């Protein structure tokens, strides 16, 4: 059975550019979409957006989804108009060859990632992954034309159309725009309802380069409870061993136990599991050996620390040119976050 998702909205969220440190366009969209769904909206000096829904008491619960996407930044334009770049966030270099990108200068310019053709490679070069430093961007324009629109420091994003594939959605930047979508849909589900505690739906900046927005916003909000929202690896593909899969598409939302930067509070993990079971929400446990999410910032950087956990969305092809999620897992993630926010005051947290 197909899950009804607002694919037009998701496509808009995924296609709006916003690399780490250059989130203005996606932030403007989030502000537009979140303002009618909350009681108050604040933007801190770093650029994090906090959509606030007032609760019955002054305890604070924070859920964070980072707005930034992995991308690149212009570092040089050579005499022939080819653009050199540096990464903003982690990339798998072998996925970049012949991929279209958008250089966001005075106007948006389409380019193509290029490198040395395989016909000209030495035999030993053919078996090696081409380093990112060997890539360039070809816009089809002369240096004189490129210089009219492109400057050092301009951000670069990937150019990919979102499509449906079976029960899945395939797009660039589902890390972490799918969580932006989930957090907006959570606000929508809570509109007109009374929540137990003040709910800070927070859309953070610069997660891909070190959880920077989560750290500053958690210090500002100082939450009692916190939920990170981010994708996690689904390595449920041919050749993968069971212990390598982390999560599987279509098996439900994932409840994080730990990752490379966070050991989730055992009380929050148990609360989330019990809430999912009680609400008949399909879930799977997640232990990610390496890597981290905003959850680490939310847990540690409030003035007193927070009881923190995370909802993770299984994702194939992470940090590649396209990524994939299952619509049923997305729906389960929305339902779990709504249920968890609504039930925080009924749980015994002192065990």
């Amino acid at each position: 059975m197909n899950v009804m998702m607002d694919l037009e909205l998701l496509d808009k969220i995924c296609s709006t550019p916003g690399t780490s440190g250059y989130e203005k366009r996606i932030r403007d969209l989030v502000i537009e979409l979140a303002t009618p769904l909350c009681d108050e909206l604040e933007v801190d000096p770093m650029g994090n957006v906090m959509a606030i829904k007032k609760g019955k008491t002054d305890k604070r619960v924070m859920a964070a989804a980072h707005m930034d996407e992995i991308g690149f930044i212009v570092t040089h334009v050579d005499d022939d108009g080819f653009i050199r770049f540096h990464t903003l966030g982690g990339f798998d270099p072998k996925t970049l060859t012949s991929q279209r990108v958008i250089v966001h200068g005075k106007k948006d310019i389409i380019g193509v990632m290029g490198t040395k053709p395989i016909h000209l490679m030495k035999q030993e070069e053919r078996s090696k992954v081409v380093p990112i430093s060997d890539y360039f961007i070809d816009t089809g324009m002369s240096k004189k034309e490129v210089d009219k629109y492109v400057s050092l420091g301009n951000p670069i994003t990937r150019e990919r159309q979102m499509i449906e594939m079976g029960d899945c959605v395939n797009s660039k930047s589902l890390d972490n725009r799918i969580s932006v979508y989930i957090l907006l849909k959570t606000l929508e589900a809570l509109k007109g309802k009374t929540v137990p505690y003040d709910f800070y739906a927070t859309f953070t900046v610069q997660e891909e380069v070190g959880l920077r927005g989560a750290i500053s916003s958690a210090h500002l909000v100082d939450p009692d409870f916190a939920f990170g929202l981010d994708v996690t690896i689904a390595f449920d593909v041919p050749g993968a061993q069971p212990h390598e899969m982390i999560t599987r598409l279509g098996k439900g939302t994932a409840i994080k136990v730990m990752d490379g930067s966070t050991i989730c509070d055992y009380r929050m993990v148990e609360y989330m599991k019990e809430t999912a079971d009680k609400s008949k929400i399909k879930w799977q446990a997640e232990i990610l050996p390496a890597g981290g999410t905003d959850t680490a910032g939310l847990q540690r950087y409030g003035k007193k620390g927070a009881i923190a956990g995370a909802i993770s969305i299984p994702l194939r092809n992470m940090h590649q040119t396209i990524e994939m999620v299952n619509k049923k897992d997305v729906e389960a993630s929305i339902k779990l976050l709504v249920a968890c926010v609504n039930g925080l005051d009924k749980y015994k947290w002192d065990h």
Side-chain angles (χ1 to χ4, degrees):
M1 187 178 80
N2 288 331
V3 172
M4 294 299 295
M5 283 180 59
D6 189 342
L7 295 177
E8 184 178 348
L9 174 61
L10 180 59
D11 186 24
K12 191 173 184 179
I13 292 169
C14 287
S15 62
T16 301
T19 60
S20 303
Y22 297 86
E23 295 95 348
K24 184 182 187 311
R25 283 165 72 171
I26 184 62
R27 175 167 53 247
D28 288 347
L29 176 63
V30 165
I31 290 169
E32 176 191 335
L33 295 170
T35 297
L37 304 175
C38 62
D39 299 319
E40 299 174 14
L41 189 137
E42 298 176 4
V43 181
D44 70 14
M46 195 169 178
N48 301 295
V49 177
M50 287 154 287
I52 306 162
K53 182 173 176 57
K54 290 296 186 179
K56 290 185 289 187
T57 69
D58 60 359
K59 281 191 176 182
R60 296 181 175 188
V61 54
M62 184 176 181
H66 70 86
M67 296 182 287
D68 57 314
E69 61 183 319
I70 55 173
F72 313 93
I73 188 169
V74 174
T75 60
H76 180 71
V77 180
D78 72 17
D79 291 342
D80 295 311
F82 294 107
I83 297 169
R84 297 286 182 165
F85 57 88
H86 185 67
T87 55
L88 291 172
F91 266 94
D92 184 348
K94 69 178 181 290
T95 69
L96 297 180
T97 302
S98 300
Q99 298 297 329
R100 282 195 293 265
V101 295
I102 306 173
V103 184
H104 303 285
K106 290 180 181 175
K107 71 174 185 177
D108 288 351
I109 303 291
I110 296 287
V112 179
M113 291 277 189
T115 188
K116 189 176 183 179
I118 193 167
H119 310 75
L120 303 181
M121 289 182 179
K122 297 175 183 177
Q123 194 62 43
E124 61 270 19
E125 290 178 311
R126 296 185 182 192
S127 60
K128 295 179 180 177
V129 175
V130 178
I132 285 179
S133 58
D134 285 357
Y135 283 90
F136 53 84
I137 295 171
D138 180 1
T139 66
M141 298 160 62
S142 67
K143 177 175 173 57
K144 183 178 179 181
E145 196 70 12
V146 171
D147 285 345
K148 287 181 184 177
Y149 307 110
V150 177
S151 303
L152 267 63
N154 287 159
I156 304 162
T157 60
R158 295 157 291 168
E159 190 275 330
R160 278 281 179 161
Q161 182 181 1
M162 191 188 82
I163 60 172
E164 288 184 83
M165 296 176 62
D167 286 331
C168 297
V169 177
N170 184 293
S171 176
K172 79 170 186 74
S173 306
L174 286 167
D175 177 7
N176 188 36
R177 301 299 175 74
I178 193 62
S179 296
V180 171
Y181 172 87
I182 287 167
L183 193 48
L184 287 167
K185 284 296 181 181
T186 297
L187 281 170
E188 187 179 285
L190 293 173
K191 186 172 174 59
K193 308 258 177 69
T194 302
V195 293
Y197 305 137
D198 290 349
F199 178 50
Y200 286 72
T202 306
F203 303 85
T204 63
V205 298
Q206 298 193 41
E207 188 272 352
E208 295 290 1
V209 290
L211 319 184
R212 297 171 188 179
I215 289 169
S216 65
S217 59
H219 184 73
L220 179 63
V221 174
D222 192 22
D224 298 279
F225 303 95
F227 299 94
L229 292 174
D230 210 332
V231 295
T232 189
I233 289 170
F235 189 47
D236 53 341
V237 296
Q241 299 299 310
H243 67 279
E244 297 176 310
M245 292 185 180
I246 310 300
T247 62
R248 301 176 67 185
L249 290 195
K251 299 299 180 182
T253 187
I255 295 173
K256 187 184 292 292
V257 177
M258 66 171 288
D259 59 28
S261 64
T262 311
I263 300 172
C264 293
D265 193 296
Y266 70 92
R267 294 166 294 180
M268 182 61 81
V269 173
E270 288 306 311
Y271 169 66
M272 292 172 73
K273 289 178 179 179
E274 289 181 21
T275 301
D277 289 340
K278 186 177 179 180
S279 303
K280 295 182 170 52
I281 298 167
K282 195 173 184 180
W283 65 274
Q284 52 192 312
E286 176 218 3
I287 294 180
L288 186 65
T293 69
D294 276 349
T295 313
L298 305 184
Q299 185 182 54
R300 301 176 199 169
Y301 284 91
K303 299 174 185 64
K304 55 186 177 299
I307 297 175
I311 292 173
S312 299
I313 303 90
L315 179 92
R316 286 190 192 141
N317 311 315
M318 185 181 289
H319 281 213
Q320 298 186 22
T321 51
I322 52 90
E323 297 165 327
M324 183 183 291
V325 295
N326 186 289
K327 289 181 279 187
K328 296 174 185 175
D329 299 338
V330 174
E331 187 70 17
S333 300
I334 297 167
K335 289 178 179 177
L336 181 57
L337 182 57
V338 170
C340 283
V341 170
N342 278 326
L344 282 166
D345 60 333
K346 299 179 182 67
Y347 192 70
K348 294 183 178 179
W349 293 99
D350 57 353
H351 70 290

